[in-house]
Amino acid sequence: MDDAKQLEAFEAKIASGAKIEPKDWMPEAYRKQLIRMMSQHAHSEIVGMLPEGNWITRAPNLRRKAILLAKVQDEAGHGLYLYSAVETLGVDRTELLYQLHTGKAKYSSIFNYPTLTWADIGAIGWLVDGAAIMNQTALARGSYGPYSRAMVRICKEESFHNRQGYEIMMSLAQGTPEQKAMAQDALDRWWWPAVMMLGPSDDKSPNSDQLMKWKVKMESNDAIRERFIDRTVPQAEFIGLKVPDADMTFDEKTGHYTHGEINWDEFFEVIKGNGPCNAKRLKDRSEADKKGAWVREAATAYAAKQIKERAIA
Amino acid sequence: MTVQEAKFEYLLRLGDSSLIIGHRLSEWCGHGPILEEDIALINIALDFVGNATSLLAYAGQVEGKGRDEDALAYLRDEREYRNLLITEQPNGDFANTIARQFLFDTYMYFLYEELKSSKDETISAIAVKSHKEITYHLRHTTEWMYRFGDGTVESHERLQNGLNDLWMYTSEMFDMDEVDAILIKEGIVPDLNKVKVSWEKRVHEVIAEATLQIPVTVFKQKGSKEGKHSEHLGFLLAEMQYVHRAHPGAKW
């Protein structure tokens, strides 16, 4: 079959709602875009362990410590699952990590902000995981089988993370004046980065019709952002916290909130590497990788010896 | 010393060791040598924290002074902590962590095997649950013992160094005092000499199989049973307890 016919069959398959599987024919642009998206997602899970891991040793009680450990373990699991899913497209994890450590690959810009107080752990679960779920539930309907199935599973766990984050914020908001102030401060610092993490507005990021048609991208950034805001603002009000957007209004007719102006300059600066923690996050990941080199070599050497011994026996 | 007092003390020894070694493992989060190990170490840390929570909650009940697991974990100072010295030792490199975990996991494996038949129903129930988890932990660390011991020259040397550095903290695991004597008599805890025989046999076997050497240490460190720790514990507790202590009485 020539390329034009294969493309036609590929597009017909997607239009019918069937999934594309690793061994199916796919256009190079489709494969490249998926590698980019999926590896960014995997890297985000792994880099995201750092700001949250930052508070495991200082969690305020044993229950919160156990929950946070379980949550971060989930995130690490998502990373592993997603790296494996990217490998189905013909790129191995070593190469993907090399791209991360050399700054060639991106990860979610939100993890370049620091976690300064315990309330930030609540804010991340509530806002960051909350925003991510909006995006990921859409991606679960995407056309690439391994990614869409990964999303189904990941979204289930992220829903728990989202609720535990909100529950942390709720406890703080109902706590002492100091705890409530801590919660409001975390919301003040994480709100805009969370709103921005869903990507540039549609006029700055024209959606490729092709990616929508191929069901790689399912919804526009602004549409996802609107759902996130509509869901989150009442949650903040419910626990007596205030979203730091003085210009936000609620449109009775449409039933949606309209947000104030987003500082996209900050967003693009952080993407470029100028966020508060970009350098630290990359350094931590690269160092872990370098310090682990002898461990991986030893494991490989030992495995080779085992195979040899078995062959002799 | 009453049986109740001895039991409280013993539960602190068990619970504190789990809490502190769990804390150390959690420090690896995001910095592991390979993603699979990040997952494993966090998972194991979680098991230890869960085990510590059960033991400290029960310790609080036994004590009967209204202290719960958080009061015991967050509001005691260094001198009141009863964790074994080996559990508070810093992570060092990954081989050092594996050496620490192997020596301690093997101890915990045989100790909890005995505690399963404790005449105290709660201790027995906790031991039954924990022993299943410890079996996995020990398998995990033992596999790394073989990989490093018989892997590369570098891994062999790093692991041998780890064992050499930590060996002086192993003998206090089997020290017994009045607390043990009272509880052994009641059938609540085992004679640690019995645990020691199993521990030595297993540790020697694995070290030999991993082509490593049993370290020679002239001096043995001890003191945890009287709350005499290494300097490391103070920093660990300062980090662990500061949020809790900065907001007295707050709910989280």
Side-chain angles (χ1 to χ4, degrees):
Chain A
M1 236 193 299
D2 61 30
D3 275 7
K5 278 202 176 142
Q6 278 180 315
L7 181 64
E8 200 180 311
F10 167 84
E11 289 185 341
K13 195 169 182 183
I14 290 172
S16 77
K19 301 291 180 198
I20 303 299
E21 297 300 335
K23 286 181 178 169
D24 294 347
W25 183 90
M26 61 186 80
E28 193 54 21
Y30 177 85
R31 197 179 77 90
K32 276 198 174 145
Q33 177 65 15
L34 275 168
I35 290 172
R36 199 179 69 84
M37 273 175 64
M38 291 165 71
S39 66
Q40 270 186 22
H41 189 166
H43 297 327
S44 303
E45 300 279 3
I46 300 313
V47 176
M49 292 168 70
L50 296 168
E52 293 193 282
N54 188 32
W55 279 91
I56 290 174
T57 56
R58 296 177 289 172
N61 65 29
L62 294 176
R63 176 173 170 263
R64 291 295 181 196
K65 191 189 285 287
I67 293 171
L68 184 55
L69 278 163
K71 178 190 192 292
V72 178
Q73 187 205 305
D74 282 352
E75 308 294 7
H78 297 170
L80 186 60
Y81 200 89
L82 287 165
Y83 282 126
S84 304
V86 190
E87 286 186 333
T88 65
L89 292 164
V91 196
D92 73 14
R93 205 201 309 176
T94 315
E95 167 61 22
L96 296 169
L97 288 176
Y98 174 78
Q99 290 174 2
L100 172 69
H101 300 147
T102 52
K104 266 179 74 188
K106 299 287 182 209
Y107 54 88
S108 182
S109 60
I110 195 116
F111 297 121
N112 292 316
Y113 290 87
T115 46
L116 301 179
T117 72
W118 168 251
D120 290 21
I121 296 306
I124 289 186
W126 176 35
L127 303 174
V128 178
D129 293 336
I133 289 171
M134 294 296 163
N135 190 28
Q136 290 165 8
T137 43
L139 291 173
R141 290 178 278 117
S143 63
Y144 189 56
Y147 193 38
S148 116
R149 288 188 289 273
M151 282 305 107
V152 172
R153 182 195 164 124
I154 287 171
C155 283
K156 280 184 192 159
E157 294 184 346
E158 293 296 352
S159 303
F160 273 109
H161 300 171
N162 178 237
R163 274 180 271 170
Q164 68 86 33
Y166 188 56
E167 198 223 339
I168 289 176
M169 294 302 263
M170 191 185 277
S171 302
L172 294 174
Q174 292 167 352
T176 64
E178 290 81 10
Q179 285 177 303
K180 186 166 183 181
M182 195 192 279
Q184 182 62 54
D185 171 60
L187 174 57
D188 290 347
R189 283 181 290 109
W190 289 92
W191 173 256
W192 287 110
V195 166
M196 289 190 273
M197 72 177 265
L198 293 165
S201 54
D202 297 347
D203 55 356
K204 289 193 177 65
S205 160
N207 282 297
S208 148
D209 291 343
Q210 194 181 48
L211 292 180
M212 293 284 241
K213 187 174 164 193
W214 286 350
K215 294 185 185 169
V216 171
K217 198 165 170 66
M218 301 299 292
E219 268 182 284
S220 81
N221 295 344
D222 284 340
I224 298 172
R225 188 166 12 251
E226 182 172 75
R227 267 195 293 128
F228 168 66
I229 292 174
D230 284 348
R231 186 180 124 126
T232 311
V233 173
Q235 291 178 334
E237 284 168 1
F238 183 71
I239 56 175
L241 299 180
K242 198 172 167 356
V243 166
D245 181 351
D247 300 325
M248 181 168 285
T249 51
F250 183 69
D251 187 333
E252 297 279 353
K253 270 184 237 158
T254 61
H256 296 301
Y257 287 89
T258 310
H259 57 76
E261 201 168 327
I262 295 174
N263 180 1
W264 290 113
D265 290 345
E266 175 181 323
F267 178 76
F268 288 112
E269 281 302 315
V270 177
I271 296 260
K272 262 194 271 170
N274 299 326
C277 298
N278 293 62
K280 169 126 177 47
R281 301 288 185 244
L282 269 192
K283 183 165 174 264
D284 281 354
R285 288 309 312 161
S286 305
E287 269 178 13
D289 190 62
K290 270 183 216 140
K291 281 185 187 162
W294 70 267
V295 174
R296 299 188 296 274
E297 278 161 24
T300 310
Y302 180 74
K305 282 185 197 176
Q306 295 306 105
I307 291 164
K308 205 170 150 193
E309 267 173 35
R310 245 175 275 143
I312 293 164
Chain B
M1 189 182 277
T2 64
V3 172
Q4 182 203 7
E5 285 164 348
K7 212 197 275 184
F8 174 66
E9 186 69 19
Y10 200 91
L11 287 164
L12 291 185
R13 291 175 185 177
L14 295 178
D16 289 351
S17 283
S18 287
L19 181 60
I20 299 302
I21 205 160
H23 181 105
R24 282 293 185 221
L25 281 178
S26 74
E27 292 173 347
W28 273 105
C29 176
H31 307 280
I34 187 167
L35 185 51
E36 284 81 348
E37 278 308 300
D38 266 299
I39 298 174
L41 297 177
I42 304 168
N43 199 345
I44 294 168
L46 177 57
D47 284 346
F48 279 122
V49 170
N51 169 267
T53 304
S54 305
L55 290 163
L56 293 178
Y58 186 44
Q61 283 173 32
V62 168
E63 188 194 31
K65 290 183 183 167
R67 289 202 279 183
D68 64 7
E69 62 273 25
D70 288 324
L72 288 170
Y74 287 89
L75 300 173
R76 279 181 301 143
D77 293 329
E78 293 94 312
R79 295 283 282 110
E80 298 166 276
Y81 257 79
R82 295 290 183 262
N83 60 289
L84 289 165
L85 298 176
I86 195 169
T87 62
E88 71 204 34
Q89 299 311 307
N91 287 331
D93 64 13
F94 191 62
N96 195 79
T97 292
I98 290 299
R100 184 189 66 205
Q101 296 308 121
F102 171 68
L103 297 171
F104 181 74
D105 288 346
T106 309
Y107 170 72
M108 204 170 161
Y109 178 85
F110 289 113
L111 173 60
Y112 277 62
E113 194 164 72
E114 296 295 326
L115 288 172
K116 285 200 280 189
S117 47
S118 170
K119 283 192 177 158
D120 181 294
E121 281 180 13
T122 307
I123 293 177
S124 164
I126 294 171
V128 168
K129 178 177 183 285
S130 299
H131 196 262
K132 287 181 197 155
E133 297 166 351
I134 300 158
T135 305
Y136 283 107
H137 305 170
L138 182 58
R139 193 183 298 165
H140 172 254
T141 40
T142 304
E143 282 173 2
W144 279 111
M145 289 289 290
Y146 294 142
R147 283 190 200 109
F148 287 162
D150 199 14
T152 61
V153 173
E154 182 181 3
S155 68
H156 179 95
E157 195 182 305
R158 281 177 185 266
L159 183 55
Q160 186 66 60
N161 289 341
L163 288 170
N164 294 350
D165 290 347
L166 292 162
W167 198 255
M168 64 180 168
Y169 299 109
T170 55
S171 79
E172 74 151 2
M173 300 193 293
F174 309 104
D175 286 348
M176 287 186 285
D177 58 11
E178 192 191 356
V179 171
D180 295 83
I182 292 168
L183 298 176
I184 290 170
K185 210 173 135 204
E186 298 291 321
I188 295 173
V189 307
D191 185 328
L192 291 175
N193 284 317
K194 194 179 171 195
V195 175
K196 187 178 183 179
V197 171
S198 309
W199 182 88
E200 280 183 342
K201 184 170 180 287
R202 174 69 68 90
V203 166
H204 284 236
E205 278 169 7
V206 172
I207 286 181
E209 174 78 24
T211 72
L212 295 155
Q213 301 293 319
I214 301 290
V216 186
T217 310
V218 187
F219 194 77
K220 308 286 190 189
Q221 299 295 335
K222 62 175 183 180
S224 72
K225 288 187 162 84
E226 296 86 43
K228 292 176 187 165
H229 292 274
S230 57
E231 288 179 345
H232 304 296
L233 185 66
F235 290 94
L236 187 156
L237 292 180
E239 182 174 337
M240 183 174 94
Q241 297 177 337
Y242 107 86
V243 177
H244 190 94
R245 289 190 182 224
H247 300 266
K251 299 265 183 293
W252 300 94

